């Protein structure tokens, strides 16, 4: 059941960056905001941005999955393995206070995946979760399954950090320096490869149109 206005938490702040934010700077900003939210000194945050090229290592990253460290490699502190971030890929960092939203991490991750899947669907791209494989998957131009989005989350003091990435038009060759998320049986694709040209601003608008539904889901007020 949708929430009434009196049941709603204050809306998260939304930041939409027009310039690329270095990954280490974003980590430091997330760390500071996480502490402020947990202390009750700041609103929740949805932060949409892009990074310069970087490989990030999650807590489960294996050394043999780093094939060619042609870009800086940064320990991310999130769950998951190696991921690439770079121009043409839109990042969504979601700092939500689960202490007031039910303390259900699994529901949060499932809702986050659903938010990305629903947004891609609104844009005409069918995508899905795959059992045993982290991320968002779609049908590539050759008919095989390929990853179009990544998910990686950390929770500290019941406040979430990190979030998702979606490939709008990155250089897909940059993913060949790693085994993305530890999965080497499937490729990586993008909206551009699928024949869709989409500006970051258009992606942001489509995503934010579904933010209330995402918030209802993490609160447990509608199905995930």
């Amino acid at each position: 059941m949708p929430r009434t206005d009196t049941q709603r938490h204050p809306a998260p702040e939304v930041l939409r960056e027009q310039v690329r934010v270095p990954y280490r700077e974003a980590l430091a900003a997330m760390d500071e905001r996480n502490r402020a939210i947990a202390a009750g000194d700041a609103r929740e945050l949805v932060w949409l941005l892009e990074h310069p090229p970087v490989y990030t290592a999650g807590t489960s990253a294996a050394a043999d999955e780093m094939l060619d460290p042609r870009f800086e490699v940064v320990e991310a502190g999130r769950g998951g393995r190696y991921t690439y971030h770079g121009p043409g890929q839109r990042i969504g960092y979601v700092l939500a206070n689960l202490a007031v939203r039910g303390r259900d991490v699994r529901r949060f991750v499932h809702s986050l995946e659903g938010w990305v899947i629903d947004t891609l669907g609104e844009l005409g791209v069918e995508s899905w979760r795959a059992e045993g494989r982290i991320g968002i998957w779609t049908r590539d131009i050759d008919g095989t399954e390929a990853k179009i989005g990544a998910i990686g989350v950390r929770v500290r003091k019941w406040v979430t950090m990190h979030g998702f990435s979606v490939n709008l038009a990155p250089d897909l060759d940059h993913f060949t320096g790693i085994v993305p998320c530890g999965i080497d049986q499937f490729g990586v694709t993008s909206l551009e490869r699928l024949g869709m040209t989409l500006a970051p601003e258009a992606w942001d608008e489509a995503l934010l149109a579904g933010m209330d539904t995402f918030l209802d889901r993490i609160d447990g007020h509608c199905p995930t």
Side-chain angles (χ1 to χ4, degrees), residues 113-163:
E113 292 170 337
W115 193 13
V116 175
I117 290 168
D118 289 350
T119 303
L120 288 169
E122 289 296 321
L123 295 169
V125 177
E126 183 183 9
S127 62
W128 51 83
R129 306 171 183 88
E131 186 70 28
R133 285 186 263 138
I134 297 171
I136 307 300
W137 301 82
T138 191
R139 194 70 60 192
D140 206 357
I141 57 175
D142 62 0
T144 63
E145 278 189 279
K147 177 176 280 192
I148 195 166
I151 302 287
V153 171
R154 179 183 179 188
V155 180
R156 187 178 66 192
K157 296 184 177 179
W158 289 108
V159 177
T160 64
M161 302 169 69
H162 301 277

